[in-house]
Amino acid sequence: MTLVDGFDPSDVRVGIVGLGGIGHHHAERLESLGADLVGGMDVDAGAREHFVHEFDAHAFEDAGELYDMVDAVFITTPNRFHEEYAVSALEWGLDVLLEKPLAHTLESAERIAEAAREAEGICMVGFNNRFAAPVEVLKHYQGEGRFGDVTHVEANYVRRRGVPGRGSWFTTKDVSGGGSLIDIGVHAIDLALYFLDFPEIVEVSGVARSEFGGRDDYTYIDMWGDDSGPEDFDVDDSVSAFIRTADGATVSLEAAWATNRPENNDFFVRGTEGGAHFDRGSGELTLFENGVGGGHHLTDTAVDTREVDTHRAEQAAFLEAVATGEAPSRNSVEQALTVQRVIDGIYRSTDDGRAVRIDE
């Protein structure tokens, strides 16, 4: 996580739009990087007060007042408001890091992408798992051709019990755009497509289910946020899907906030010459290879890496892009738009009861 030579992160004046939990998470890491955290914006007075107290920075109710004071903004609002603030910040001439997903709907995501294409500033999307050390190593070996042609990725982001507080914006479709698929499944889809170098997607088949969050007897040990009960839950809590690409590569997806099976964070990358297993939860990375030297044999290699704060590494990459004025090659808006199209395809496939084309 090295910034460009001669660049001081404090040279970049940064603001945060959306001062909830993820906004504070980003603010803490920006401070640790030495960025100049000028202030934040939120429509909620309590959130503004908390931010000022925590970070000794300005806080505004109007985004324009913040935009006038900064060079770049992090947008960490609920999904429905991504478009409003991303587009206005880009039109203001600012550089933008927009938290995932790109938006709550495909139509909104497409408008953000169009604004990013026309803007002078940089827009990067917050898929932080790409910056995990094992992922960096896996992509390095992939680039060397160690796996041959990668033809399939099995992607899992499964919680046994992990429905967010019912009644929060996460469980309200009008604000979030969906449930487990758009919240955590989005990470699994992005990482799988990253391992495939973002090929053209042609077809998606999937089923998004709601089996737990709408029940009076939903059983859990811990819950993020307050629980207002099943009447305030109108989104999916698990999804199974299959993704087909134009070059024949495929992705199988399992994502869930709640399901009656053990937690699973496994990603399996299968290639013609080798493969890999990455456990997103533990950070374990194993390479699967074979050879004939000395006799036919199979080799499993465990790879140890340093622990990395993925959000902090993502921020460093963004600040480097701001410093150089060059849009980052990863976490681009166009890649995030591809992910959004897959999400939309899975929801359409659920509604239609069949596979749907997304290349038309």
Side-chain angles (χ1 to χ4, degrees), residues 142-295:
Q142 182 182 3
E144 289 187 333
R146 194 156 171 174
F147 307 134
D149 295 327
V150 176
T151 57
H152 182 74
V153 178
E154 178 187 328
N156 298 278
Y157 200 140
V158 175
R159 300 170 181 168
R160 183 174 179 182
R161 290 293 186 275
V163 173
R166 293 181 293 184
S168 69
W169 70 263
F170 286 96
T171 67
T172 305
K173 186 176 182 179
D174 186 52
V175 182
S176 63
S180 59
L181 173 57
I182 205 166
D183 179 40
I184 59 177
V186 65
H187 276 302
I189 295 167
D190 175 75
L191 205 53
L193 296 182
Y194 185 49
F195 292 144
L196 292 174
D197 293 325
F198 270 84
E200 178 188 356
I201 311 299
V202 296
E203 186 180 82
V204 172
S205 178
V207 178
R209 307 174 182 88
S210 183
E211 299 178 327
F212 295 90
R215 291 168 53 170
D216 287 319
D217 62 348
Y218 171 60
T219 304
Y220 60 92
I221 306 301
D222 298 301
M223 178 179 283
W224 175 88
D226 298 325
D227 185 18
S228 63
E231 63 275 4
D232 293 316
F233 186 95
D234 66 351
V235 295
D236 55 281
D237 48 34
S238 70
V239 60
S240 303
F242 192 79
I243 303 162
R244 186 186 301 273
T245 73
D247 61 7
T250 52
V251 175
S252 57
L253 169 72
E254 289 287 340
W257 279 342
T259 186
N260 286 322
R261 57 158 295 175
E263 176 182 295
N264 186 358
N265 293 287
D266 292 328
F267 287 76
F268 289 94
V269 177
R270 287 162 39 185
T272 55
E273 304 302 322
H277 165 238
F278 166 55
D279 186 324
R280 191 197 57 82
S282 68
E284 296 175 1
L285 175 62
T286 305
L287 308 182
F288 305 118
E289 297 172 295
N290 58 84
V292 295

Side-chain angles (χ1 to χ4, degrees), residues 61-213:
E61 185 176 4
D62 178 70
E65 293 184 72
L66 176 65
Y67 293 169
D68 277 336
M69 299 180 66
V70 299
D71 306 304
V73 290
F74 284 60
I75 297 174
T76 59
T77 64
N79 302 343
R80 181 177 179 176
F81 307 106
H82 282 190
E83 179 186 349
E84 174 184 351
Y85 294 112
V87 171
S88 63
L90 289 167
E91 290 177 344
W92 214 278
L94 301 179
D95 296 315
V96 174
L97 191 149
L98 175 61
E99 259 300 343
K100 65 79 192 170
L102 193 53
H104 68 306
T105 67
L106 177 58
E107 293 75 17
S108 181
E110 288 172 337
R111 290 191 291 269
I112 294 172
E114 182 61 28
R117 294 183 197 111
E118 296 177 355
E120 295 183 1
I122 290 164
C123 189
M124 182 173 169
V125 183
F127 289 109
N128 62 295
N129 286 295
R130 298 196 199 185
F131 294 89
V135 173
E136 299 273 27
V137 172
L138 194 159
K139 287 296 292 183
H140 169 75
Y141 285 138
Q142 182 182 3
E144 289 187 333
R146 194 156 171 174
F147 307 134
D149 295 327
V150 176
T151 57
H152 182 74
V153 178
E154 178 187 328
N156 298 278
Y157 200 140
V158 175
R159 300 170 181 168
R160 183 174 179 182
R161 290 293 186 275
V163 173
R166 293 181 293 184
S168 69
W169 70 263
F170 286 96
T171 67
T172 305
K173 186 176 182 179
D174 186 52
V175 182
S176 63
S180 59
L181 173 57
I182 205 166
D183 179 40
I184 59 177
V186 65
H187 276 302
I189 295 167
D190 175 75
L191 205 53
L193 296 182
Y194 185 49
F195 292 144
L196 292 174
D197 293 325
F198 270 84
E200 178 188 356
I201 311 299
V202 296
E203 186 180 82
V204 172
S205 178
V207 178
R209 307 174 182 88
S210 183
E211 299 178 327
F212 295 90

